[in-house]
């Protein structure tokens, strides 16, 4: 199951949290996505449009533009009825931290008398005026339940049931944690660059054994 990070924006360049703010892709961000598409999207490739049974797309304009760049007109026409633009896969709502750097958030919290024992950790503490880790987990779990329902009956490749997520770096890392049943507060260092593609799968062809797919055999398809 591929997940696709939206490309670069002006705020990702500087490392600012970009949640509710609807920041468009930069020209280079669009190039990142187009470059990825040329390499991994197509018949027999990692993202084969003929094998896709569902797409979950963040409603933010940078994610919707990524979708437009990732797939050609014919593929998008064939996806009619398969695309779900959903708030469940939007970026983490950073609340009052939106548009700020981690260093600014930590300094502000310290100035308000918070985090006296340890530095702020979004995976544990959530965001003031935004989402808690539990709220994020709950909405991601809803998508995961849908995916397991779609893919569960076809664990041995009886038909193509690939699912594509097009969203954002932070929420996709959170999704990967929930995919393998990790609490968001559990440490699992993951990186996903702008415009990059990650893959999640299952062990032993069992829907109740989700796994992170570290290596992809580009000569064949993975469920």
């Amino acid at each position: 199951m591929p997940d696709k990070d939206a490309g670069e924006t002006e705020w990702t360049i500087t490392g600012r949290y970009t949640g509710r703010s609807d920041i468009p892709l930069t020209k280079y961000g669009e190039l990142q996505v187009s470059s990825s598409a040329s390499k991994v999207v197509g018949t027999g490739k990692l993202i084969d449009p003929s094998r896709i049974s569902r797409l979950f797309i963040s409603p933010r304009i940078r994610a919707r533009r990524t979708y437009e760049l990732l797939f050609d007109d014919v593929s998008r026409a064939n996806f009619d009825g398969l695309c779900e633009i959903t708030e469940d896969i939007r970026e983490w709502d950073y609340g009052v931290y939106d548009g700020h750097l981690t260093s600014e958030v930590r300094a502000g919290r310290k100035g308000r008398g918070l985090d006296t024992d340890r530095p702020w950790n979004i995976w544990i503490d959530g965001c003031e005026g935004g989402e808690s880790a539990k709220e994020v987990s709950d909405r991601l779990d809803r998508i995961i339940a849908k995916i397991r329902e779609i893919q569960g009956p076809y664990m041995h490749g009886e038909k193509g049931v690939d699912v594509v997520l097009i969203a954002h770096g932070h929420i996709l890392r959170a999704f990967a944690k929930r995919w393998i049943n990790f609490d968001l507060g559990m440490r699992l260092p993951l990186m996903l660059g702008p415009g990059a593609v990650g893959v999640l799968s299952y062990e032993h062809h069992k829907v109740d054994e989700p796994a992170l797919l570290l290596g992809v055999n580009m000569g064949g398809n993975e469920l």
Side-chain angles (χ1 to χ4, degrees):
M1 185 194 72
D3 51 39
K4 182 74 174 69
D5 185 20
E8 174 192 88
T9 70
E10 291 293 344
W11 281 11
T12 59
I13 295 172
T14 57
R16 297 185 180 278
Y17 288 111
T18 314
R20 288 180 295 199
S21 297
D22 224 355
I23 309 296
L25 298 179
T26 62
K27 290 296 183 183
Y28 182 63
E30 293 197 352
L31 181 61
Q32 287 175 318
V33 177
S34 297
S35 178
S36 292
S38 68
K39 295 177 177 65
V40 301
V41 178
T43 302
K45 294 184 178 181
L46 179 62
I47 302 176
D48 186 335
S50 69
R51 292 181 53 85
I52 294 173
S53 63
R54 187 72 61 86
L55 302 95
F56 295 101
I57 304 170
S58 163
R60 301 297 176 260
I61 57 174
R62 56 195 184 275
R64 288 186 280 117
R65 179 58 177 155
T66 294
Y67 168 67
E68 293 172 354
L69 293 168
L70 198 60
F71 298 104
D72 60 25
D73 292 343
V74 173
S75 294
R76 294 200 307 274
N78 290 335
F79 293 152
D80 186 37
L82 301 180
C83 286
E84 184 176 337
I85 298 176
T86 171
E87 291 282 341
D88 280 346
I89 199 61
R90 61 170 165 75
E91 185 57 290
W92 199 307
D93 185 343
Y94 300 120
V96 299
Y97 307 152
D98 207 45
H100 292 275
L101 303 172
T102 298
S103 58
E104 294 171 339
V105 172
R106 287 178 172 169
R109 288 175 63 94
K110 184 176 181 180
R112 295 191 296 279
L114 302 172
D115 309 325
T116 56
D117 297 328
R118 58 166 175 78
W120 169 72
N121 182 336
I122 189 173
W123 302 104
I124 299 171
D125 304 315
C127 300
E128 294 176 272
E131 286 184 294
S132 68
K134 184 181 185 307
E135 288 171 323
V136 170
S137 290
D138 287 347
R139 62 181 170 92
L140 293 179
D141 288 351
R142 287 195 292 267
I143 291 182
I144 290 172
K146 291 179 181 179
I147 294 171
R148 302 269 162 80
E149 184 177 348
I150 292 167
Q151 296 183 326
Y154 306 104
M155 284 288 99
H156 294 277
E158 293 88 345
K159 62 179 286 189
V161 285
D162 287 352
V163 175
V164 174
L165 307 178
I166 301 177
H168 317 278
H170 208 151
I171 202 65
L172 288 174
R173 284 181 285 145
F175 185 93
K177 284 186 174 184
R178 292 306 302 144
W179 181 259
I180 57 174
N181 300 313
F182 272 33
D183 290 336
L184 294 192
M186 295 179 68
R187 180 168 171 75
L188 181 66
L190 296 169
M191 297 179 67
L192 183 63
V197 178
V199 181
L200 306 176
S201 190
Y202 304 92
E203 288 189 288
H204 309 121
H205 300 282
K206 294 183 178 180
V207 74
D208 58 352
E209 295 188 22
L212 305 181
L213 188 59
L214 296 182
V216 180
N217 182 349
M218 301 303 288
N221 291 304
E222 294 288 342
L223 182 65

